[in-house]
Amino acid sequence: MKADRITRVNELIRRELGVQLYRVINRPDFDTAAVTFTHALTSVDLRTCRVLVSIRGDLPEQERMLTILKRHRVDFQKAVCDNIDPRHAQILPSY
């Protein structure tokens, strides 16, 4: 049951990051359509999350876009924390 919850939280975080990508990064030199958040790997205690990103393009372009994503990491964290509250996403038992 716990693994199912972590899977749902991972998918929720991944989807939220995809939505926030268009809101957080407003640069004309950044192609948001080339970025895909492929996986979110959340720890069991929900304190840490590693996000895997796929970027379409050649290597210098990928590195440049990854640098921009890393620069906006705090903005992404704030947006996810504002829109997702894992404390209230508990599983209720069925009777």
Side-chain angles (χ1 to χ4, degrees), residues 9-33:
V9 169
N10 287 339
E11 285 300 312
L12 186 61
I13 289 172
R14 190 182 63 80
R15 276 188 263 129
E16 185 63 32
L17 285 172
V19 170
Q20 294 301 325
L21 176 66
Y22 295 96
R23 295 181 183 156
V24 170
I25 300 180
N26 295 327
R27 296 174 56 150
D29 63 336
F30 190 86
D31 183 16
T32 54

Side-chain angles (χ1 to χ4, degrees), residues 3 21 36 43 52 94:
L21 176 66
T36 303
S43 65
L52 305 180
S94 59

Side-chain angles (χ1 to χ4, degrees), residues 35-86:
V35 177
T36 303
F37 295 104
T38 57
H39 290 85
L41 307 170
T42 308
S43 65
V44 178
D45 62 358
L46 302 177
R47 290 187 181 267
T48 60
C49 180
R50 173 177 269 199
V51 177
L52 305 180
V53 179
S54 174
I55 301 173
R56 189 181 62 226
D58 56 347
L59 189 59
E61 183 71 12
Q62 290 175 350
E63 290 175 353
R64 184 185 67 78
M65 291 174 70
L66 188 59
T67 302
I68 293 170
L69 285 172
K70 286 180 181 179
R71 197 174 305 142
H72 290 280
R73 181 180 58 87
V74 174
D75 299 326
F76 281 113
Q77 284 178 345
K78 182 175 178 346
V80 168
C81 288
D82 288 345
N83 294 322
I84 297 175
D85 190 4

